[in-house]
Amino acid sequence: GAGVSQSPSNKVTEKGKDVELRCDPISGHTALYWYRQSLGQGLEFLIYFQGNSAPDKSGLPSDRFSAERTGGSVSTLTIQRTQQEDSAVYLCASSQLAGGFYNEQFFGPGTRLTVL
Amino acid sequence: GESVGLHLPTLSVQEGDNSIINCAYSNSASDYFIWYKQESGKGPQFIIDIRSNMDKRQGQRVTVLLNKTVKHLSLQIAATQPGDSAVYFCAEIRIQGAQKLVFGQGTRLTINP
């Protein structure tokens, strides 16, 4: 079946521009996560959506970052006024989150963002 | 804050040999520990997990060991193959709430022919 897809796969932008990154989770997965992977670093949590609940935005590094999830499916991560330190691979993951036990997160291929 | 980290950034082994990738963690409240494999240009792929109340878990060619006394996690890959070349991350998770993964820095494993 189809996995998590992300678009674009690569994005090059100029400092100060806004960018939008898209994630299509696995159909039926209620939980959606955004992570960021900086060069040579591990992944850091950014934001989490679960159903109709308020998102957990605790990992967003600044107010220039925002995300939404429409209709409980597709999610868009927006970075306003991009800075060079925003350059990274942005990864999306989804899972069939259910309470009480571990739910495997399935990752998309990521969007590589380069801010010039 | 608490974090999960890796001892070695790179590891090279001969094809057919066994490899061991290590990880130290600091959050004793984690419920699960997970190993992910990431190939170039791809997202992380789940390999194996272990619950915090276990010491060892085996999969196909992989074994994860958990030593809670010293807060140490390891991934053993038996009879390595060229396709095992990748970056390996350990991660921790708490099952309550959002189940956010906390990742280590990663170890690049290279299999030499």
Side-chain angles (χ1 to χ4, degrees), chain B residues 2-111:
Chain B
E2 297 184 87
S3 64
V4 177
L6 292 168
H7 291 304
L8 298 173
T10 61
L11 178 64
S12 293
V13 299
Q14 291 297 120
E15 182 178 353
D17 288 351
N18 299 333
S19 67
I20 300 176
I21 301 172
N22 295 303
C23 174
Y25 67 93
S26 58
N27 188 352
S28 57
S30 298
D31 298 303
Y32 280 87
F33 299 89
I34 306 140
W35 283 99
Y36 279 90
K37 173 186 181 183
Q38 187 176 26
E39 297 175 283
S40 181
K42 298 182 180 180
Q45 179 183 10
F46 172 90
I47 301 173
I48 191 168
D49 62 28
I50 187 168
R51 193 166 181 168
S52 60
N53 62 354
M54 299 173 64
D55 299 320
K56 180 179 180 179
R57 189 172 185 210
Q58 289 184 292
Q60 186 176 11
R61 288 200 303 118
V62 295
T63 301
V64 56
L65 299 177
L66 177 62
N67 186 330
K68 293 180 286 293
T69 301
V70 295
K71 295 182 180 177
H72 184 268
L73 185 72
S74 68
L75 176 69
Q76 301 176 1
I77 305 175
T80 53
Q81 304 168 357
D84 295 330
S85 293
V87 176
Y88 290 80
F89 294 94
C90 64
E92 61 146 339
I93 199 167
R94 278 175 268 188
I95 60 174
Q96 295 302 316
Q99 296 193 6
K100 310 170 205 178
L101 288 162
V102 177
F103 285 88
Q105 187 174 8
T107 293
R108 181 174 297 281
L109 176 65
T110 301
I111 308 303

Side-chain angles (χ1 to χ4, degrees), chain A residues 30-94:
Chain A
T30 58
L32 186 147
Y33 304 79
W34 284 97
Y35 294 88
R36 179 170 70 175
Q37 185 172 25
S38 301
L39 183 63
Q41 300 298 313
L43 292 87
E44 56 176 340
F45 167 80
L46 296 177
I47 188 169
Y48 154 77
F49 296 91
Q50 166 61 357
N52 296 319
S53 302
D56 180 340
K57 305 179 182 179
S58 60
L60 295 179
S62 77
D63 58 8
R64 295 186 295 104
F65 288 73
S66 62
E68 62 179 20
R69 187 179 186 191
T70 55
S73 182
V74 172
S75 177
T76 302
L77 177 68
T78 302
I79 309 174
Q80 296 178 307
R81 305 181 301 283
T82 52
Q83 304 294 313
Q84 289 183 333
E85 60 263 29
D86 299 334
S87 296
V89 176
Y90 290 83
L91 288 151
C92 176
S94 69

Side-chain angles (χ1 to χ4, degrees), chain A residues 12-27:
Chain A
V12 179
T13 190
E14 294 180 346
K15 177 181 175 181
K17 301 282 190 180
D18 298 351
V19 295
E20 285 189 351
L21 313 179
R22 177 188 168 106
C23 171
D24 286 84
I26 293 173
S27 178

